[in-house]
Amino acid sequence: MARTRTPHVYSYEKDGSTLYYVTFYCKQWDGTNKKIKKMGFTRQADAARYEQEYRDRLAGSPAMTFAALCDRFLADYKNHVRESTYMTTRFFLVRYLLPDFGKTPLNELTPVMIREWQNGFIANQRYKPTTLNKMHAALVIALNFACKYFGLAQNPATVAGGMGSQKPARESRYWTREQFARFILSGLKPECVAMFSTMFWTGCRIGECLALTASDVDLENGIVTINKTKTKAAHGYKIGPPKTRNSSRKVSLPHPLAMILADWIQRTDARNDDRLFTKDRATYATILKQHAERTGLPTIRLHDLRHSHASMLINMGLPPKVVQERLGHASIQMTLDLYSHLYPDKQKDVADRLSQYF
């Protein structure tokens, strides 16, 4: 028979061992009282702690542990971001942050503690700068949640400063029209010709291309409608809304590309919501690499086909606003930040033209 040890904590016997469980009522967000019961504790103190942490988590006290915060934060976060974003943030919290900070109360988490934690990972030298940056970003966003909703006075991770870098130190690579022509004539199968040509000549993201259906392609008017994307989910992939509001757009097709897509649609007899491209991104990435090496071209990523398109537009003299709209960037500033290095020679053109007015 269960015996009371402390308020709400009871003991019971199982397989010759004494275990503990806790049961209590707690008011929920909608004003209802919910009975909470948790069994299987080997120590009385652990059962009592569970109740306290549950109440702290529900009340949003800055005295709650970092683990309790993560429970509340992730439950909220998943409703406001893309599933792939949620999964990435959750991974870094669970893998790198909870083991070290899980039992620490938020109001005892100091910038010095975070700085020392950072130094340990940096000194390890096993982690890429981008990985270190994502660890810190996950910590910052979780603690921002605590500051905004649970009364944490300041974000100690912000005070501690970041670590790593947001982007890998990598030279941007682009293919010219001539290089892409060599690649596309390297013996690719029709599906790959259609896929890679669409990416290179429209600048669409790989996820946007993988989500394309027959009904998205208006061959008569030479327009492809981008209104969805294929992203990684907890179990495989899923089709969802585009990356940003500006990502929903209509992209005009060069006539040769329209002919390539018409041929591919005819070959597959794709109709209405039938997807045009059925391979996964890893397969396309492998094919891209293999055929680039076969033709002696510099190896690039799938996303670099999008960069190649942007580079081509800029070299054609098109203004940044047009490039932004075609690529579906959230702002023209993003376009300039990504491709400002492609504009240096344009400054000389401006100077030459101004010289004519002296």
Side-chain angles (χ1 to χ4, degrees), residues 97-240:
L97 290 155
L98 283 175
D100 292 327
F101 296 132
K103 296 182 179 180
T104 306
L106 296 182
N107 52 15
E108 295 180 16
L109 190 57
T110 67
V112 171
M113 291 169 62
I114 293 173
R115 196 70 174 178
E116 290 176 348
W117 169 81
Q118 291 177 341
N119 290 337
F121 277 99
I122 294 171
N124 190 291
Q125 297 185 343
R126 287 177 49 202
Y127 301 95
K128 296 179 180 179
T130 48
T131 301
L132 296 175
N133 179 264
K134 289 176 182 177
M135 289 182 200
H136 178 74
L139 179 60
V140 168
I141 194 171
L143 292 177
N144 276 343
F145 186 77
C147 291
K148 186 172 184 178
Y149 297 107
F150 301 141
L152 188 64
Q154 67 173 3
N155 189 328
T158 302
V159 177
M163 63 174 177
S165 60
Q166 187 173 4
K167 293 184 179 180
R170 168 186 192 281
E171 181 183 357
S172 297
R173 292 185 176 179
Y174 309 93
W175 277 353
T176 63
R177 286 179 299 166
E178 293 75 20
Q179 288 175 314
F180 183 74
R182 283 170 52 194
F183 167 76
I184 214 68
L185 296 174
S186 63
L188 291 165
K189 292 183 178 180
E191 178 176 355
C192 292
V193 170
M195 162 60 85
F196 295 133
S197 295
T198 300
M199 292 190 69
F200 183 84
W201 291 105
T202 66
C204 290
R205 302 176 178 91
I206 176 62
E208 294 170 344
C209 284
L210 291 175
L212 285 176
T213 63
S215 60
D216 294 326
V217 183
D218 181 351
L219 293 172
E220 182 177 351
N221 295 303
I223 294 174
V224 62
T225 299
I226 307 299
N227 56 17
K228 52 191 171 296
T229 187
K230 185 178 180 182
T231 57
K232 191 172 182 181
H235 303 287
Y237 292 85
K238 72 172 187 178
I239 305 296

Side-chain angles (χ1 to χ4, degrees), residues 236-306:
Y237 292 85
K238 72 172 187 178
I239 305 296
K243 187 175 182 180
T244 66
R245 183 179 62 182
N246 293 74
S247 295
S248 293
R249 62 200 188 279
K250 294 184 181 295
V251 181
S252 58
L253 302 174
H255 183 64
L257 175 59
M259 294 177 62
I260 290 172
L261 288 175
D263 174 71
W264 178 239
I265 291 173
Q266 184 178 23
R267 285 173 181 265
T268 58
D269 194 29
R271 301 178 184 178
N272 301 324
D273 294 333
D274 293 339
R275 282 181 33 232
L276 297 184
F277 307 113
T278 57
K279 301 182 189 302
D280 58 46
R281 66 180 65 202
T283 301
Y284 286 118
T286 299
I287 295 171
L288 177 68
K289 183 175 184 293
Q290 290 174 342
H291 281 258
E293 293 174 346
R294 182 180 302 174
T295 53
L297 292 169
T299 56
I300 62 173
R301 305 166 303 167
L302 286 170
H303 198 69
D304 289 330
L305 291 173
R306 175 172 164 85

